[in-house]
Amino acid sequence: MFSRLRGPAGHRRSPPVDLDKQRVEEALAGLRRRTESTGKDRLRQLRLGLIVAVQAGLAAALAWFVAHQLLHNQQPVFAPSAAVGTIVSSIGRRLRRSVELIIGVAVGVAIGDFLIVLLGTGAWQLGVIVVLSIIVALAVGGRGTLVAQAGGTAVLIATLSPSVGKLEYPRFVDAAIGGSIGMIVVVLLLPLNPLRAVERAAARPAEVLADQLDAAARALTDRDAAAAEQALTRLRSINQDFDQVREALSGAQEVVSLAPARWHRRQVVAAYASAVEHMDRAALNSKALIRRSVTVIEDGEPAPAELPSSIGRLAEAVRLYRRDFVGRRVPREARHCALLGVSEAGTAYRRGVGLSGTVVVAQVRTVTSDLLRATGIDKDDANRLVHRVASREADVEVTDGRGPGSQ
């Protein structure tokens, strides 16, 4: 594979030295990509954090103003606290958290007030009140915020009621005001751009998938089982990236459901949700592809040049799809590139591969089907296109179907 090169002194340099140099360069390039990716991820998180911080500040100020100036609560501590709690809760679960917060406070107030009258105050009474409040919260199907608010409110009622009069009503009203204002801020006043949040989150898994498919293609060309194993290990971390995409989707679905200004984005967000699931399947099948590539190398099976090239085509297709995903264009080039990979895998099969190589060819076709479905082509059409190209019955020109978010 490597030609013998002469050094400065005229001596021949052996191929292993060239191979070592290439591996060092690839390792340094990988480090640069990871460093740049980490910097981009932190910048994206900082931008999102800045938006959430502004939302929280506005919600806290409005909650205090309403509770203090309009309802004349002299110390409306719980109102801004509830507003901030609603804002910083998991994106996509804010409405649910706000409702749970109000219900939890109501449960804590009711149980605490009733048992103080019945049992009086003291250490053991406090314990009983908290236990019963949490049991009731769990019994009504509560979890997380609801249970925490029920227990916390019960503690406040049991410990402060003897010295602070009329605590129950302000506590409940403050919770209702804070939760409601928090929702008003994120839905009406400062709603996130639902598409931008999803697109930012989707960048990371697309980048990881493309990079590791490329790494697997190089490893198969170089017959480097360790490099292929490394690509497989890195690809396994993609599940966390897809979890973040789903969280962003959850937030986008909440925004387009509740914010009138974002209602026109409902169909686009629904298309994004479908695309993400198919990309997740493509990543899952890519793991199987790389795992079998390792076996091809370890067992010394034949690997025609078209086999790693077909895997590289998949990597390029993912990058093209990512580009058009952000641009909200029909991803025709991505479809074309993925189907070229199917064609090359078919050529490799006809030239001769082993058992694991045959599985790699099959996985190239499966991943391509997943990518086509992510681009907006339905299942039957995607499978038909893959089958026709694999059977050499048609060229790979694809013009049907529209991509997610395309106008």
Side-chain angles (χ1 to χ4, degrees), residues 18-336:
D18 289 339
L19 182 59
D20 289 341
K21 181 179 179 180
Q22 180 185 10
R23 287 175 176 172
V24 169
E25 291 175 350
E26 289 177 354
L28 291 175
L31 177 61
R32 286 193 296 270
R33 285 195 300 270
R34 289 193 297 275
T35 302
E36 291 173 359
S37 176
T38 301
K40 292 177 182 176
D41 289 341
R42 289 176 179 173
L43 183 59
R44 284 193 293 265
Q45 292 173 355
L46 180 60
R47 288 173 179 170
L48 180 59
L50 179 61
I51 295 172
V52 172
V54 173
Q55 289 178 330
L58 178 60
L62 288 176
W64 176 276
F65 175 80
V66 171
H68 183 68
Q69 298 294 333
L70 302 183
L71 299 181
H72 307 293
N73 184 349
Q74 296 304 310
Q75 293 183 323
V77 177
F78 301 125
S81 297
V84 172
T86 298
I87 296 291
V88 301
S89 62
S90 298
I91 295 175
R93 297 186 178 92
R94 285 167 167 169
L95 179 60
R96 176 178 175 176
R97 182 184 175 98
S98 182
V99 172
E100 287 182 344
L101 185 148
I102 296 170
I103 294 175
V105 169
V107 169
V109 167
I111 299 296
D113 198 37
F114 173 75
L115 291 181
I116 284 176
V117 174
L118 187 64
L119 303 176
T121 59
W124 70 269
Q125 290 94 334
L126 172 62
V128 171
I129 290 171
V130 171
V131 168
L132 291 179
S133 296
I134 292 177
I135 289 175
V136 171
L138 292 171
V140 299
R143 54 184 176 177
T145 302
L146 197 158
V147 175
Q149 286 297 323
T153 299
V155 169
L156 291 173
I157 296 298
T159 56
L160 297 181
S161 285
S163 58
V164 180
K166 299 180 180 179
L167 177 66
E168 299 84 355
Y169 176 73
R171 167 70 169 170
F172 179 77
V173 172
D174 282 356
I177 291 173
S180 300
I181 289 179
M183 288 305 303
I184 289 172
V185 168
V186 299
V187 169
L188 298 177
L189 301 183
L190 290 176
L192 292 172
N193 185 324
L195 303 184
R196 192 173 300 165
V198 175
E199 289 160 1
R200 281 198 299 261
R204 175 62 178 169
E207 182 179 4
V208 171
L209 178 56
D211 286 350
Q212 302 322 312
L213 284 170
D214 260 342
R218 289 193 300 271
L220 192 55
T221 298
D222 298 339
R223 313 291 294 189
D224 189 341
E229 283 279 9
Q230 188 176 47
L232 179 58
T233 299
R234 289 173 179 168
L235 189 56
R236 285 176 177 145
S237 67
I238 204 171
N239 293 339
Q240 297 176 353
D241 298 319
F242 275 112
D243 287 341
Q244 293 181 2
V245 178
R246 290 189 181 92
E247 183 175 352
L249 270 171
S250 179
Q253 288 165 341
E254 183 180 65
V255 170
V256 298
S257 296
L258 299 176
R262 306 295 188 187
W263 284 349
H264 65 289
R265 296 295 190 185
R266 288 177 178 176
Q267 290 185 343
V268 177
V269 171
Y272 277 15
S274 176
V276 167
E277 290 308 311
H278 292 306
M279 286 297 292
D280 194 4
R281 292 193 188 98
L284 178 64
N285 287 312
S286 294
K287 294 175 190 176
L289 186 157
I290 297 175
R291 199 158 44 236
R292 278 295 187 168
S293 298
V294 173
T295 306
V296 168
I297 299 168
E298 291 178 340
D299 291 353
E301 292 187 9
E306 291 83 1
L307 191 60
S309 179
S310 69
I311 300 173
R313 294 282 190 186
L314 295 179
E316 182 62 18
V318 172
R319 293 191 177 97
L320 290 170
Y321 174 64
R322 163 64 187 157
R323 181 200 67 186
D324 291 335
F325 184 89
V326 173
R328 301 170 200 166
R329 296 183 295 267
V330 179
R332 293 188 179 91
E333 289 184 61
R335 295 167 180 167
H336 187 272

